[in-house]
Amino acid sequence: MNQREFTDIELVIKSKTGDTAAFRDLVNTYKDVSLTLACSILKDTSLAEDAVQTAFIKVFEKLKTFRQDSKFSTWLYRIVINTAYNLQKQQKIHMQIDVLSDSIFEANEKSETRVLTEEDQKKYINLALERIKSDEALILRLFYLYDHSILEIKKITGFSKSKIKVDLHRGRKNMERQLQKLLGNEITQLL
Amino acid sequence: MNEDQAKKLLKKSELQATDHFTDSLMKQIEADVEARVQATVPSIKKVSLTIVAVVLPLFLLLFFKTFTFLPRLEFLGYAHRTKLFVVAVFSVLLAVNHLFKLHYSAKQLVKNER
């Protein structure tokens, strides 16, 4: 996140009075994190963008009910995650994604060994995350990418501590398995 | 894969929203705000309370006064009370129904504007 002129709370207070410029700043600050979290659940960037847009509209409408007893980001992520899970239920995309992903990766498994660029690495890591369960991908990202504690993840997702710990462990294993499938020996370039 | 390796990998997994994301979202939000200002949907609760506040004294007046103080309306004092009551209740119900219709269409208007 960049150095900002106003804090979240200041921007929230301004937005509550209908200041759309302040809300724009909040959107710019949290759009990428929100998209990444939504994509962990939905496994599709354009669907995730739709979910994040819907979530931000909900946030703007419900801003007056935000009582500032928790961090704005925690409240926002909770709304983003709930919206994404609801959309996932509507779309029932889980199985389609699994089938689609499997066919994409067969070709990659047989490809020759090559040096992976930063861009390639990012692509394969995200593909591996797409192939694991939504809950696992979401918890992995919240914990390792955004450095949230287990307690914070509990607040954001509503999952129990034990589920979070189990999903962290399983998620790491499953992600490694998927990367192994995708990259074969090239996985050593990532680790 | 240990914790450090997982952290190193996942640090590369952040996605970026498209360039037009903020603009299109804000356009939608600003249109919402504008639509809400234009179509000021009257609170159904307030309007219903107003109707009750106006109609209740009228009913009482109708039943307990003979309208001798208003010669032109004196006939109301001699009218059949039950018939008068039915007409009055029917009129109120019609008014409330109309109100609900107005409220619903105003809400639809706001929804469609989004």
Side-chain angles (χ1 to χ4, degrees), chain A residues 143-190:
Chain A
F143 191 77
Y144 293 113
L145 174 60
Y146 298 119
D147 301 314
H148 286 292
S149 66
I150 289 177
L151 203 67
E152 283 171 327
I153 296 173
K154 186 176 175 258
K155 272 186 197 167
I156 293 169
T157 58
F159 297 153
S160 67
K161 270 188 189 177
S162 55
K163 178 183 165 52
I164 295 167
K165 284 179 186 169
V166 169
D167 278 354
L168 271 176
H169 180 73
R170 284 191 188 149
R172 270 202 324 263
K173 294 273 172 212
N174 288 334
M175 189 182 157
E176 186 178 9
R177 198 173 299 138
Q178 294 304 332
L179 283 170
Q180 190 77 51
K181 268 190 184 179
L182 283 168
L183 297 165
N185 293 333
E186 290 170 352
I187 194 173
T188 49
Q189 293 183 44
L190 288 177

mmCIF file of all heavy atoms in Angstrom, chain A residues 143-190:
data_model
loop_
_atom_site.group_PDB
_atom_site.id
_atom_site.type_symbol
_atom_site.label_atom_id
_atom_site.label_comp_id
_atom_site.label_asym_id
_atom_site.label_seq_id
_atom_site.Cartn_x
_atom_site.Cartn_y
_atom_site.Cartn_z
ATOM 1 N N PHE A 143 -2.831 -15.633 5.260
ATOM 2 C CA PHE A 143 -1.761 -15.869 6.232
ATOM 3 C C PHE A 143 -0.374 -15.518 5.678
ATOM 4 O O PHE A 143 0.375 -14.770 6.306
ATOM 5 C CB PHE A 143 -1.798 -17.340 6.666
ATOM 6 C CG PHE A 143 -0.921 -17.642 7.846
ATOM 7 C CD1 PHE A 143 -1.309 -17.293 9.129
ATOM 8 C CD2 PHE A 143 0.305 -18.277 7.684
ATOM 9 C CE1 PHE A 143 -0.505 -17.573 10.230
ATOM 10 C CE2 PHE A 143 1.126 -18.558 8.772
ATOM 11 C CZ PHE A 143 0.722 -18.205 10.050
ATOM 12 N N TYR A 144 -0.060 -16.024 4.506
ATOM 13 C CA TYR A 144 1.301 -15.837 3.980
ATOM 14 C C TYR A 144 1.472 -14.579 3.126
ATOM 15 O O TYR A 144 2.524 -13.955 3.148
ATOM 16 C CB TYR A 144 1.733 -17.060 3.162
ATOM 17 C CG TYR A 144 1.910 -18.295 3.994
ATOM 18 C CD1 TYR A 144 1.061 -19.377 3.851
ATOM 19 C CD2 TYR A 144 2.938 -18.391 4.940
ATOM 20 C CE1 TYR A 144 1.215 -20.526 4.620
ATOM 21 C CE2 TYR A 144 3.098 -19.522 5.715
ATOM 22 C CZ TYR A 144 2.230 -20.587 5.549
ATOM 23 O OH TYR A 144 2.390 -21.703 6.321
ATOM 24 N N LEU A 145 0.448 -14.237 2.353
ATOM 25 C CA LEU A 145 0.582 -13.065 1.478
ATOM 26 C C LEU A 145 0.296 -11.768 2.239
ATOM 27 O O LEU A 145 1.032 -10.795 2.096
ATOM 28 C CB LEU A 145 -0.366 -13.211 0.274
ATOM 29 C CG LEU A 145 -0.498 -12.038 -0.694
ATOM 30 C CD1 LEU A 145 0.845 -11.700 -1.333
ATOM 31 C CD2 LEU A 145 -1.511 -12.341 -1.801
ATOM 32 N N TYR A 146 -0.770 -11.778 3.045
ATOM 33 C CA TYR A 146 -1.144 -10.537 3.731
ATOM 34 C C TYR A 146 -0.791 -10.510 5.216
ATOM 35 O O TYR A 146 -1.163 -9.569 5.925
ATOM 36 C CB TYR A 146 -2.638 -10.259 3.514
ATOM 37 C CG TYR A 146 -2.944 -10.056 2.041
ATOM 38 C CD1 TYR A 146 -3.814 -10.899 1.365
ATOM 39 C CD2 TYR A 146 -2.320 -9.044 1.324
ATOM 40 C CE1 TYR A 146 -4.060 -10.727 0.004
ATOM 41 C CE2 TYR A 146 -2.567 -8.864 -0.031
ATOM 42 C CZ TYR A 146 -3.435 -9.711 -0.679
ATOM 43 O OH TYR A 146 -3.671 -9.538 -2.018
ATOM 44 N N ASP A 147 -0.079 -11.544 5.656
ATOM 45 C CA ASP A 147 0.451 -11.599 7.033
ATOM 46 C C ASP A 147 -0.590 -11.398 8.131
ATOM 47 O O ASP A 147 -0.311 -10.749 9.149
ATOM 48 C CB ASP A 147 1.587 -10.560 7.204
ATOM 49 C CG ASP A 147 2.723 -10.805 6.240
ATOM 50 O OD1 ASP A 147 3.138 -11.966 6.117
ATOM 51 O OD2 ASP A 147 3.185 -9.837 5.587
ATOM 52 N N HIS A 148 -1.787 -11.928 7.925
ATOM 53 C CA HIS A 148 -2.786 -11.860 8.995
ATOM 54 C C HIS A 148 -2.546 -13.000 9.978
ATOM 55 O O HIS A 148 -2.145 -14.098 9.585
ATOM 56 C CB HIS A 148 -4.205 -11.980 8.420
ATOM 57 C CG HIS A 148 -4.656 -10.748 7.719
ATOM 58 N ND1 HIS A 148 -4.903 -9.567 8.389
ATOM 59 C CD2 HIS A 148 -4.901 -10.494 6.410
ATOM 60 C CE1 HIS A 148 -5.287 -8.647 7.518
ATOM 61 N NE2 HIS A 148 -5.287 -9.182 6.300
ATOM 62 N N SER A 149 -2.832 -12.727 11.258
ATOM 63 C CA SER A 149 -2.686 -13.784 12.262
ATOM 64 C C SER A 149 -3.889 -14.727 12.170
ATOM 65 O O SER A 149 -4.893 -14.392 11.513
ATOM 66 C CB SER A 149 -2.633 -13.168 13.650
ATOM 67 O OG SER A 149 -3.886 -12.577 13.936
ATOM 68 N N ILE A 150 -3.777 -15.861 12.860
ATOM 69 C CA ILE A 150 -4.891 -16.821 12.838
ATOM 70 C C ILE A 150 -6.153 -16.193 13.439
ATOM 71 O O ILE A 150 -7.257 -16.392 12.930
ATOM 72 C CB ILE A 150 -4.477 -18.128 13.554
ATOM 73 C CG1 ILE A 150 -3.465 -18.859 12.664
ATOM 74 C CG2 ILE A 150 -5.686 -19.025 13.844
ATOM 75 C CD1 ILE A 150 -2.877 -20.114 13.206
ATOM 76 N N LEU A 151 -5.960 -15.394 14.472
ATOM 77 C CA LEU A 151 -7.098 -14.717 15.108
ATOM 78 C C LEU A 151 -7.790 -13.749 14.131
ATOM 79 O O LEU A 151 -9.024 -13.677 14.067
ATOM 80 C CB LEU A 151 -6.606 -13.966 16.348
ATOM 81 C CG LEU A 151 -7.658 -13.692 17.402
ATOM 82 C CD1 LEU A 151 -8.140 -14.976 18.056
ATOM 83 C CD2 LEU A 151 -7.121 -12.736 18.455
ATOM 84 N N GLU A 152 -6.953 -13.007 13.390
ATOM 85 C CA GLU A 152 -7.527 -12.063 12.404
ATOM 86 C C GLU A 152 -8.265 -12.836 11.306
ATOM 87 O O GLU A 152 -9.330 -12.407 10.856
ATOM 88 C CB GLU A 152 -6.414 -11.213 11.791
ATOM 89 C CG GLU A 152 -5.927 -10.103 12.705
ATOM 90 C CD GLU A 152 -4.674 -9.397 12.178
ATOM 91 O OE1 GLU A 152 -3.830 -10.065 11.521
ATOM 92 O OE2 GLU A 152 -4.535 -8.200 12.428
ATOM 93 N N ILE A 153 -7.663 -13.961 10.877
ATOM 94 C CA ILE A 153 -8.307 -14.769 9.825
ATOM 95 C C ILE A 153 -9.652 -15.301 10.332
ATOM 96 O O ILE A 153 -10.638 -15.339 9.602
ATOM 97 C CB ILE A 153 -7.383 -15.922 9.367
ATOM 98 C CG1 ILE A 153 -6.109 -15.346 8.727
ATOM 99 C CG2 ILE A 153 -8.094 -16.828 8.367
ATOM 100 C CD1 ILE A 153 -5.051 -16.367 8.377
ATOM 101 N N LYS A 154 -9.674 -15.659 11.614
ATOM 102 C CA LYS A 154 -10.920 -16.149 12.231
ATOM 103 C C LYS A 154 -11.999 -15.053 12.152
ATOM 104 O O LYS A 154 -13.149 -15.315 11.818
ATOM 105 C CB LYS A 154 -10.639 -16.525 13.685
ATOM 106 C CG LYS A 154 -11.787 -17.178 14.397
ATOM 107 C CD LYS A 154 -11.355 -17.594 15.789
ATOM 108 C CE LYS A 154 -12.527 -18.148 16.559
ATOM 109 N NZ LYS A 154 -13.114 -17.266 17.516
ATOM 110 N N LYS A 155 -11.584 -13.816 12.467
ATOM 111 C CA LYS A 155 -12.535 -12.685 12.420
ATOM 112 C C LYS A 155 -13.025 -12.438 10.998
ATOM 113 O O LYS A 155 -14.177 -12.145 10.756
ATOM 114 C CB LYS A 155 -11.851 -11.413 12.926
ATOM 115 C CG LYS A 155 -11.944 -11.215 14.423
ATOM 116 C CD LYS A 155 -11.367 -9.858 14.769
ATOM 117 C CE LYS A 155 -11.053 -9.745 16.244
ATOM 118 N NZ LYS A 155 -10.219 -8.578 16.541
ATOM 119 N N ILE A 156 -12.086 -12.519 10.052
ATOM 120 C CA ILE A 156 -12.436 -12.200 8.660
ATOM 121 C C ILE A 156 -13.323 -13.280 8.037
ATOM 122 O O ILE A 156 -14.309 -12.974 7.372
ATOM 123 C CB ILE A 156 -11.139 -12.010 7.817
ATOM 124 C CG1 ILE A 156 -10.386 -10.756 8.278
ATOM 125 C CG2 ILE A 156 -11.454 -11.923 6.334
ATOM 126 C CD1 ILE A 156 -8.990 -10.622 7.697
ATOM 127 N N THR A 157 -12.941 -14.545 8.260
ATOM 128 C CA THR A 157 -13.642 -15.626 7.549
ATOM 129 C C THR A 157 -14.770 -16.244 8.354
ATOM 130 O O THR A 157 -15.691 -16.838 7.784
ATOM 131 C CB THR A 157 -12.657 -16.756 7.194
ATOM 132 O OG1 THR A 157 -12.071 -17.236 8.418
ATOM 133 C CG2 THR A 157 -11.572 -16.286 6.257
ATOM 134 N N GLY A 158 -14.678 -16.152 9.661
ATOM 135 C CA GLY A 158 -15.668 -16.818 10.507
ATOM 136 C C GLY A 158 -15.348 -18.291 10.711
ATOM 137 O O GLY A 158 -16.114 -19.016 11.332
ATOM 138 N N PHE A 159 -14.196 -18.757 10.185
ATOM 139 C CA PHE A 159 -13.800 -20.161 10.370
ATOM 140 C C PHE A 159 -13.248 -20.348 11.790
ATOM 141 O O PHE A 159 -12.743 -19.402 12.401
ATOM 142 C CB PHE A 159 -12.700 -20.569 9.379
ATOM 143 C CG PHE A 159 -13.111 -20.518 7.929
ATOM 144 C CD1 PHE A 159 -12.154 -20.311 6.930
ATOM 145 C CD2 PHE A 159 -14.439 -20.682 7.539
ATOM 146 C CE1 PHE A 159 -12.508 -20.259 5.586
ATOM 147 C CE2 PHE A 159 -14.799 -20.631 6.194
ATOM 148 C CZ PHE A 159 -13.840 -20.418 5.231
ATOM 149 N N SER A 160 -13.293 -21.607 12.254
ATOM 150 C CA SER A 160 -12.735 -21.876 13.590
ATOM 151 C C SER A 160 -11.200 -21.920 13.498
ATOM 152 O O SER A 160 -10.635 -22.140 12.417
ATOM 153 C CB SER A 160 -13.250 -23.203 14.118
ATOM 154 O OG SER A 160 -12.731 -24.254 13.335
ATOM 155 N N LYS A 161 -10.548 -21.746 14.662
ATOM 156 C CA LYS A 161 -9.076 -21.765 14.691
ATOM 157 C C LYS A 161 -8.531 -23.096 14.166
ATOM 158 O O LYS A 161 -7.556 -23.131 13.425
ATOM 159 C CB LYS A 161 -8.598 -21.560 16.129
ATOM 160 C CG LYS A 161 -8.385 -20.133 16.522
ATOM 161 C CD LYS A 161 -7.725 -20.088 17.882
ATOM 162 C CE LYS A 161 -7.689 -18.683 18.420
ATOM 163 N NZ LYS A 161 -7.127 -18.611 19.761
ATOM 164 N N SER A 162 -9.191 -24.193 14.597
ATOM 165 C CA SER A 162 -8.686 -25.510 14.189
ATOM 166 C C SER A 162 -8.811 -25.700 12.678
ATOM 167 O O SER A 162 -7.903 -26.239 12.040
ATOM 168 C CB SER A 162 -9.399 -26.621 14.950
ATOM 169 O OG SER A 162 -10.775 -26.491 14.783
ATOM 170 N N LYS A 163 -9.916 -25.222 12.095
ATOM 171 C CA LYS A 163 -10.075 -25.342 10.632
ATOM 172 C C LYS A 163 -8.980 -24.544 9.921
ATOM 173 O O LYS A 163 -8.414 -24.997 8.932
ATOM 174 C CB LYS A 163 -11.459 -24.849 10.192
ATOM 175 C CG LYS A 163 -11.627 -24.916 8.670
ATOM 176 C CD LYS A 163 -12.937 -24.382 8.199
ATOM 177 C CE LYS A 163 -12.972 -24.112 6.705
ATOM 178 N NZ LYS A 163 -12.551 -25.196 5.839
ATOM 179 N N ILE A 164 -8.704 -23.361 10.447
ATOM 180 C CA ILE A 164 -7.684 -22.518 9.816
ATOM 181 C C ILE A 164 -6.330 -23.222 9.837
ATOM 182 O O ILE A 164 -5.623 -23.278 8.819
ATOM 183 C CB ILE A 164 -7.611 -21.134 10.508
ATOM 184 C CG1 ILE A 164 -8.931 -20.377 10.297
ATOM 185 C CG2 ILE A 164 -6.447 -20.310 9.977
ATOM 186 C CD1 ILE A 164 -9.114 -19.153 11.176
ATOM 187 N N LYS A 165 -5.986 -23.797 11.000
ATOM 188 C CA LYS A 165 -4.690 -24.477 11.113
ATOM 189 C C LYS A 165 -4.617 -25.687 10.183
ATOM 190 O O LYS A 165 -3.617 -25.897 9.507
ATOM 191 C CB LYS A 165 -4.458 -24.909 12.572
ATOM 192 C CG LYS A 165 -4.068 -23.745 13.476
ATOM 193 C CD LYS A 165 -3.882 -24.202 14.893
ATOM 194 C CE LYS A 165 -3.631 -22.999 15.800
ATOM 195 N NZ LYS A 165 -3.703 -23.348 17.216
ATOM 196 N N VAL A 166 -5.697 -26.453 10.141
ATOM 197 C CA VAL A 166 -5.724 -27.647 9.270
ATOM 198 C C VAL A 166 -5.627 -27.220 7.803
ATOM 199 O O VAL A 166 -4.856 -27.799 7.026
ATOM 200 C CB VAL A 166 -7.021 -28.472 9.523
ATOM 201 C CG1 VAL A 166 -7.208 -29.536 8.458
ATOM 202 C CG2 VAL A 166 -6.984 -29.100 10.903
ATOM 203 N N ASP A 167 -6.401 -26.186 7.426
ATOM 204 C CA ASP A 167 -6.379 -25.729 6.026
ATOM 205 C C ASP A 167 -5.030 -25.143 5.633
ATOM 206 O O ASP A 167 -4.608 -25.260 4.473
ATOM 207 C CB ASP A 167 -7.501 -24.714 5.773
ATOM 208 C CG ASP A 167 -8.839 -25.384 5.515
ATOM 209 O OD1 ASP A 167 -8.860 -26.634 5.429
ATOM 210 O OD2 ASP A 167 -9.861 -24.683 5.412
ATOM 211 N N LEU A 168 -4.359 -24.503 6.584
ATOM 212 C CA LEU A 168 -3.016 -23.977 6.287
ATOM 213 C C LEU A 168 -2.070 -25.126 5.947
ATOM 214 O O LEU A 168 -1.307 -25.065 4.973
ATOM 215 C CB LEU A 168 -2.460 -23.223 7.497
ATOM 216 C CG LEU A 168 -2.764 -21.732 7.603
ATOM 217 C CD1 LEU A 168 -2.214 -21.169 8.898
ATOM 218 C CD2 LEU A 168 -2.174 -20.963 6.421
ATOM 219 N N HIS A 169 -2.138 -26.176 6.762
ATOM 220 C CA HIS A 169 -1.267 -27.335 6.565
ATOM 221 C C HIS A 169 -1.609 -28.046 5.247
ATOM 222 O O HIS A 169 -0.735 -28.278 4.407
ATOM 223 C CB HIS A 169 -1.428 -28.277 7.765
ATOM 224 C CG HIS A 169 -0.580 -29.501 7.667
ATOM 225 N ND1 HIS A 169 0.794 -29.473 7.846
ATOM 226 C CD2 HIS A 169 -0.891 -30.788 7.374
ATOM 227 C CE1 HIS A 169 1.268 -30.677 7.680
ATOM 228 N NE2 HIS A 169 0.278 -31.494 7.389
ATOM 229 N N ARG A 170 -2.902 -28.342 5.085
ATOM 230 C CA ARG A 170 -3.341 -29.047 3.862
ATOM 231 C C ARG A 170 -3.100 -28.194 2.629
ATOM 232 O O ARG A 170 -2.711 -28.698 1.574
ATOM 233 C CB ARG A 170 -4.826 -29.392 3.954
ATOM 234 C CG ARG A 170 -5.087 -30.564 4.859
ATOM 235 C CD ARG A 170 -6.527 -31.015 4.688
ATOM 236 N NE ARG A 170 -6.839 -32.020 5.703
ATOM 237 C CZ ARG A 170 -8.033 -32.187 6.233
ATOM 238 N NH1 ARG A 170 -9.034 -31.421 5.856
ATOM 239 N NH2 ARG A 170 -8.248 -33.128 7.122
ATOM 240 N N GLY A 171 -3.368 -26.908 2.749
ATOM 241 C CA GLY A 171 -3.204 -25.996 1.616
ATOM 242 C C GLY A 171 -1.769 -25.982 1.112
ATOM 243 O O GLY A 171 -1.524 -26.021 -0.098
ATOM 244 N N ARG A 172 -0.824 -25.923 2.052
ATOM 245 C CA ARG A 172 0.606 -25.939 1.669
ATOM 246 C C ARG A 172 0.947 -27.212 0.918
ATOM 247 O O ARG A 172 1.590 -27.189 -0.119
ATOM 248 C CB ARG A 172 1.474 -25.840 2.927
ATOM 249 C CG ARG A 172 1.816 -24.450 3.335
ATOM 250 C CD ARG A 172 3.060 -24.379 4.203
ATOM 251 N NE ARG A 172 3.251 -25.463 5.129
ATOM 252 C CZ ARG A 172 2.893 -25.428 6.424
ATOM 253 N NH1 ARG A 172 2.319 -24.351 6.908
ATOM 254 N NH2 ARG A 172 3.114 -26.455 7.217
ATOM 255 N N LYS A 173 0.485 -28.349 1.479
ATOM 256 C CA LYS A 173 0.763 -29.660 0.861
ATOM 257 C C LYS A 173 0.135 -29.729 -0.532
ATOM 258 O O LYS A 173 0.779 -30.136 -1.499
ATOM 259 C CB LYS A 173 0.177 -30.798 1.721
ATOM 260 C CG LYS A 173 0.818 -30.953 3.070
ATOM 261 C CD LYS A 173 2.031 -31.842 2.978
ATOM 262 C CE LYS A 173 2.778 -31.829 4.306
ATOM 263 N NZ LYS A 173 4.210 -31.991 4.160
ATOM 264 N N ASN A 174 -1.147 -29.329 -0.613
ATOM 265 C CA ASN A 174 -1.857 -29.424 -1.897
ATOM 266 C C ASN A 174 -1.274 -28.480 -2.941
ATOM 267 O O ASN A 174 -1.192 -28.815 -4.121
ATOM 268 C CB ASN A 174 -3.348 -29.135 -1.705
ATOM 269 C CG ASN A 174 -4.035 -30.259 -0.986
ATOM 270 O OD1 ASN A 174 -3.579 -31.408 -1.043
ATOM 271 N ND2 ASN A 174 -5.104 -29.961 -0.276
ATOM 272 N N MET A 175 -0.848 -27.311 -2.482
ATOM 273 C CA MET A 175 -0.254 -26.361 -3.428
ATOM 274 C C MET A 175 1.054 -26.923 -3.973
ATOM 275 O O MET A 175 1.327 -26.840 -5.174
ATOM 276 C CB MET A 175 -0.006 -25.031 -2.713
ATOM 277 C CG MET A 175 0.395 -23.922 -3.653
ATOM 278 S SD MET A 175 0.705 -22.428 -2.721
ATOM 279 C CE MET A 175 1.752 -21.586 -3.847
ATOM 280 N N GLU A 176 1.833 -27.507 -3.093
ATOM 281 C CA GLU A 176 3.102 -28.107 -3.529
ATOM 282 C C GLU A 176 2.826 -29.234 -4.529
ATOM 283 O O GLU A 176 3.495 -29.342 -5.556
ATOM 284 C CB GLU A 176 3.866 -28.646 -2.326
ATOM 285 C CG GLU A 176 5.251 -29.137 -2.704
ATOM 286 C CD GLU A 176 6.056 -29.643 -1.506
ATOM 287 O OE1 GLU A 176 5.474 -29.776 -0.414
ATOM 288 O OE2 GLU A 176 7.254 -29.912 -1.694
ATOM 289 N N ARG A 177 1.799 -30.051 -4.212
ATOM 290 C CA ARG A 177 1.448 -31.160 -5.107
ATOM 291 C C ARG A 177 1.056 -30.628 -6.484
ATOM 292 O O ARG A 177 1.467 -31.166 -7.511
ATOM 293 C CB ARG A 177 0.294 -31.946 -4.485
ATOM 294 C CG ARG A 177 0.125 -33.333 -5.074
ATOM 295 C CD ARG A 177 -0.919 -34.134 -4.315
ATOM 296 N NE ARG A 177 -0.557 -34.321 -2.925
ATOM 297 C CZ ARG A 177 -1.409 -34.214 -1.903
ATOM 298 N NH1 ARG A 177 -2.665 -33.914 -2.112
ATOM 299 N NH2 ARG A 177 -1.014 -34.409 -0.669
ATOM 300 N N GLN A 178 0.272 -29.574 -6.499
ATOM 301 C CA GLN A 178 -0.163 -29.006 -7.782
ATOM 302 C C GLN A 178 1.016 -28.416 -8.558
ATOM 303 O O GLN A 178 1.099 -28.567 -9.778
ATOM 304 C CB GLN A 178 -1.233 -27.919 -7.566
ATOM 305 C CG GLN A 178 -2.549 -28.420 -7.009
ATOM 306 C CD GLN A 178 -3.183 -29.508 -7.846
ATOM 307 O OE1 GLN A 178 -2.972 -29.575 -9.069
ATOM 308 N NE2 GLN A 178 -3.929 -30.392 -7.214
ATOM 309 N N LEU A 179 1.912 -27.746 -7.832
ATOM 310 C CA LEU A 179 3.092 -27.176 -8.510
ATOM 311 C C LEU A 179 3.967 -28.281 -9.079
ATOM 312 O O LEU A 179 4.528 -28.155 -10.163
ATOM 313 C CB LEU A 179 3.888 -26.301 -7.532
ATOM 314 C CG LEU A 179 3.300 -24.915 -7.264
ATOM 315 C CD1 LEU A 179 4.021 -24.231 -6.112
ATOM 316 C CD2 LEU A 179 3.370 -24.027 -8.511
ATOM 317 N N GLN A 180 4.053 -29.368 -8.327
ATOM 318 C CA GLN A 180 4.836 -30.531 -8.781
ATOM 319 C C GLN A 180 4.234 -31.065 -10.071
ATOM 320 O O GLN A 180 4.946 -31.369 -11.029
ATOM 321 C CB GLN A 180 4.805 -31.595 -7.680
ATOM 322 C CG GLN A 180 5.760 -32.768 -7.898
ATOM 323 C CD GLN A 180 7.200 -32.395 -7.560
ATOM 324 O OE1 GLN A 180 7.452 -31.867 -6.495
ATOM 325 N NE2 GLN A 180 8.116 -32.649 -8.487
ATOM 326 N N LYS A 181 2.891 -31.167 -10.089
ATOM 327 C CA LYS A 181 2.193 -31.659 -11.291
ATOM 328 C C LYS A 181 2.433 -30.726 -12.469
ATOM 329 O O LYS A 181 2.620 -31.159 -13.598
ATOM 330 C CB LYS A 181 0.689 -31.706 -11.020
ATOM 331 C CG LYS A 181 0.179 -33.019 -10.509
ATOM 332 C CD LYS A 181 -1.341 -32.951 -10.541
ATOM 333 C CE LYS A 181 -1.969 -34.191 -9.959
ATOM 334 N NZ LYS A 181 -3.441 -34.076 -9.986
ATOM 335 N N LEU A 182 2.386 -29.427 -12.174
ATOM 336 C CA LEU A 182 2.508 -28.421 -13.239
ATOM 337 C C LEU A 182 3.916 -28.310 -13.775
ATOM 338 O O LEU A 182 4.135 -28.189 -14.981
ATOM 339 C CB LEU A 182 2.122 -27.040 -12.696
ATOM 340 C CG LEU A 182 0.664 -26.719 -12.511
ATOM 341 C CD1 LEU A 182 0.515 -25.451 -11.698
ATOM 342 C CD2 LEU A 182 0.034 -26.528 -13.870
ATOM 343 N N LEU A 183 4.870 -28.320 -12.868
ATOM 344 C CA LEU A 183 6.233 -27.956 -13.256
ATOM 345 C C LEU A 183 7.228 -29.107 -13.237
ATOM 346 O O LEU A 183 8.330 -28.970 -13.782
ATOM 347 C CB LEU A 183 6.755 -26.838 -12.329
ATOM 348 C CG LEU A 183 5.998 -25.521 -12.395
ATOM 349 C CD1 LEU A 183 6.342 -24.643 -11.210
ATOM 350 C CD2 LEU A 183 6.313 -24.786 -13.686
ATOM 351 N N GLY A 184 6.880 -30.201 -12.618
ATOM 352 C CA GLY A 184 7.839 -31.314 -12.508
ATOM 353 C C GLY A 184 9.098 -30.856 -11.785
ATOM 354 O O GLY A 184 9.001 -30.244 -10.716
ATOM 355 N N ASN A 185 10.234 -31.084 -12.419
ATOM 356 C CA ASN A 185 11.512 -30.729 -11.776
ATOM 357 C C ASN A 185 11.725 -29.220 -11.664
ATOM 358 O O ASN A 185 12.532 -28.758 -10.855
ATOM 359 C CB ASN A 185 12.682 -31.335 -12.557
ATOM 360 C CG ASN A 185 12.663 -32.844 -12.459
ATOM 361 O OD1 ASN A 185 12.158 -33.401 -11.485
ATOM 362 N ND2 ASN A 185 13.187 -33.509 -13.484
ATOM 363 N N GLU A 186 11.032 -28.488 -12.518
ATOM 364 C CA GLU A 186 11.196 -27.022 -12.508
ATOM 365 C C GLU A 186 10.752 -26.385 -11.189
ATOM 366 O O GLU A 186 11.033 -25.215 -10.943
ATOM 367 C CB GLU A 186 10.406 -26.396 -13.665
ATOM 368 C CG GLU A 186 11.002 -26.696 -15.028
ATOM 369 C CD GLU A 186 10.076 -26.286 -16.160
ATOM 370 O OE1 GLU A 186 8.922 -25.909 -15.901
ATOM 371 O OE2 GLU A 186 10.518 -26.364 -17.310
ATOM 372 N N ILE A 187 10.051 -27.150 -10.373
ATOM 373 C CA ILE A 187 9.580 -26.610 -9.087
ATOM 374 C C ILE A 187 10.744 -26.116 -8.234
ATOM 375 O O ILE A 187 10.596 -25.188 -7.434
ATOM 376 C CB ILE A 187 8.718 -27.649 -8.318
ATOM 377 C CG1 ILE A 187 7.960 -26.968 -7.178
ATOM 378 C CG2 ILE A 187 9.558 -28.808 -7.808
ATOM 379 C CD1 ILE A 187 6.973 -27.851 -6.463
ATOM 380 N N THR A 188 11.920 -26.704 -8.451
ATOM 381 C CA THR A 188 13.100 -26.294 -7.653
ATOM 382 C C THR A 188 13.447 -24.823 -7.909
ATOM 383 O O THR A 188 14.028 -24.164 -7.051
ATOM 384 C CB THR A 188 14.323 -27.159 -8.012
ATOM 385 O OG1 THR A 188 14.446 -27.178 -9.430
ATOM 386 C CG2 THR A 188 14.183 -28.568 -7.455
ATOM 387 N N GLN A 189 13.074 -24.336 -9.092
ATOM 388 C CA GLN A 189 13.348 -22.914 -9.382
ATOM 389 C C GLN A 189 12.502 -21.977 -8.513
ATOM 390 O O GLN A 189 12.844 -20.820 -8.307
ATOM 391 C CB GLN A 189 13.040 -22.611 -10.855
ATOM 392 C CG GLN A 189 13.979 -23.297 -11.834
ATOM 393 C CD GLN A 189 13.640 -22.886 -13.256
ATOM 394 O OE1 GLN A 189 13.405 -21.719 -13.539
ATOM 395 N NE2 GLN A 189 13.640 -23.852 -14.163
ATOM 396 N N LEU A 190 11.375 -22.509 -8.052
ATOM 397 C CA LEU A 190 10.483 -21.684 -7.239
ATOM 398 C C LEU A 190 10.858 -21.700 -5.767
ATOM 399 O O LEU A 190 10.688 -20.719 -5.061
ATOM 400 C CB LEU A 190 9.036 -22.182 -7.365
ATOM 401 C CG LEU A 190 8.294 -21.929 -8.670
ATOM 402 C CD1 LEU A 190 6.913 -22.549 -8.612
ATOM 403 C CD2 LEU A 190 8.161 -20.449 -8.937
#
